[in-house]
Structures are given as C-alpha cells and as structure tokens.
C-alpha cells in the first residue's frame, strides 16, 4: 500500500513542478476547436451512414423485384 501512496504522491509532485500548463485562454480556445470538429466529424459519419443505408436498401429492393 505504501508503494501506491508513494506513486500518487510523486505523480502529484511531477504535475506541480515539471508540467508546463497552458494558459486558460488557450485551453478554452482549444476546447472549442475540439468540440466543433467533434460535431463536424459526427455529422459526416452520420451522413455516410445514411448514404450507405439508403444504397443498401435500394440494392436489396432491386434484388427483390
């Protein structure tokens, strides 16, 4: 158990002393960029899914006829 406590203590010390944290304004800007690209990527994935679903439905309807 002491190894775990020691590891956590050293990890926090590393975060406080050796990590360069970005400015708050940069964090906000990059968060917005990630959110926008996530929405765009989700819409693109949905669009491709819809196109393939319609294409497959049309193909199977064509086979039925």
């Amino acid at each position: 158990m002491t190894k775990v406590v020691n590891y956590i203590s050293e990890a926090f010390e590393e975060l406080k002393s050796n990590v360069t944290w970005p400015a708050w304004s940069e964090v906000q800007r990059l968060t917005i960029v990630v959110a926008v690209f996530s929405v765009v990527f989700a819409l693109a994935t949905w669009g491709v899914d819809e196109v393939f679903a319609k294409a497959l439905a049309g193909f199977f309807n064509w086979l039925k006829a």
Side-chain angles (χ1 to χ4, degrees):
M1 186 66 179
T2 56
K3 287 185 178 183
V4 173
V5 171
N6 189 29
Y7 174 78
I8 293 172
S9 172
E10 288 177 2
F12 275 112
E13 185 60 36
E14 179 95 12
L15 288 171
K16 284 193 293 186
S17 60
N18 295 338
V19 175
T20 303
W21 296 98
W24 181 244
S25 60
E26 185 179 6
V27 171
Q28 289 175 327
R29 183 180 59 82
L30 292 176
T31 300
I32 291 170
V33 169
V34 169
V36 167
F37 276 103
S38 295
V39 168
V40 168
F41 186 73
L43 289 173
T45 302
W46 172 78
V48 170
D49 181 55
E50 285 295 314
V51 167
F52 277 111
K54 290 193 188 306
L56 282 175
F59 175 73
F60 285 119
N61 285 336
W62 176 73
L63 284 179
K64 255 187 186 178

